[in-house]
Amino acid sequence: MKAPYDQLFLEMLVELTKCEQSDESELKKVESCFVVATRYWEKLKELCQFTSNNAAEEIYFFRHVKPLFIGRIRYYTILYEALLCIPDKSGEYNFWEEEAMRLERFCERHEDFIKYLQQEPDEREHLYFLREHYDTHQLSQARVFDADPEFCTQMDHILSAWIAEQLYHEYTKKRLAKAR
């Protein structure tokens, strides 16, 4: 990441770690982390320095920077919803086992795009990560924290969701180990 974005991301991770290590209930920790991640997303938008005539900066931001911040917000959203739905002890293991499958299902649904992300960038970078190609009809499906058309591209939301699903998958593995 580039210096100002990198610094902001590191600050966010430090603050998130403090929240996660607090003595609060797990639900309260997740709420606090969501607030922190959202606050840092707003700071990032203020810091954002790309210009409309610099495609390379814009692509970099929407492929490498924004998804790290929005991915955290999405992760804490998924986690919060899951914590609200945990069944009693008898069903807890099965619940986390099913939740652990989310990443696999996500990867199957977005297989082509994930393969694309894992290879060298090509001409699709412009289509996927420049705002000029964003279809504003997608706003109807956008999350509240990610509904500003000035900060959306065709595929950055999928990349953010993939990051969130990976983080959540790691969490579910820990919960499965505890539930045994």
Side-chain angles (χ1 to χ4, degrees), residues 27-79:
L27 209 53
K28 186 67 176 158
K29 287 179 192 182
V30 172
E31 288 173 358
S32 297
C33 287
F34 175 85
V35 169
V36 167
T38 302
R39 185 166 27 89
Y40 275 90
W41 166 235
E42 292 303 321
K43 286 181 180 182
L44 179 66
K45 290 193 314 187
E46 292 171 13
L47 182 66
C48 191
Q49 299 173 354
F50 56 80
T51 58
S52 58
N53 60 354
N54 191 332
E57 282 183 18
E58 191 170 324
I59 289 169
Y60 180 84
F61 178 83
F62 286 105
R63 181 172 179 159
H64 300 286
V65 179
K66 178 190 174 188
L68 294 176
F69 288 79
I70 295 296
R72 291 302 186 291
I73 296 170
R74 290 180 75 118
Y75 163 66
Y76 290 114
T77 302
I78 294 166
L79 182 53

Side-chain angles (χ1 to χ4, degrees), residues 74-83 99 102 164-165 168:
R74 290 180 75 118
Y75 163 66
Y76 290 114
T77 302
I78 294 166
L79 182 53
Y80 187 81
E81 291 169 355
L83 292 174
E99 288 296 290
R102 283 179 59 116
E165 292 294 343
Y168 184 64

Side-chain angles (χ1 to χ4, degrees), residues 67-68 70-79 81-82 96-110 114 143 156-173:
L68 294 176
I70 295 296
R72 291 302 186 291
I73 296 170
R74 290 180 75 118
Y75 163 66
Y76 290 114
T77 302
I78 294 166
L79 182 53
E81 291 169 355
W96 289 116
E97 198 171 47
E98 183 63 30
E99 288 296 290
M101 299 300 295
R102 283 179 59 116
L103 177 61
E104 184 178 326
R105 290 189 300 267
F106 181 89
C107 290
E108 287 171 1
R109 217 171 30 256
H110 301 287
I114 291 170
R143 305 282 180 150
D156 71 78
H157 66 285
I158 304 291
L159 180 50
S160 298
W162 186 39
I163 290 169
E165 292 294 343
Q166 290 174 76
L167 291 168
Y168 184 64
H169 185 72
E170 290 304 311
Y171 179 87
T172 60
K173 289 190 324 190

Side-chain angles (χ1 to χ4, degrees), residues 9-33:
F9 183 67
L10 291 175
E11 289 172 15
M12 180 182 71
L13 290 179
V14 167
E15 202 167 330
L16 289 172
T17 300
K18 287 178 185 175
C19 286
E20 290 172 350
Q21 294 173 348
S22 75
D23 293 332
E24 302 281 350
S25 70
E26 191 165 17
L27 209 53
K28 186 67 176 158
K29 287 179 192 182
V30 172
E31 288 173 358
S32 297
C33 287

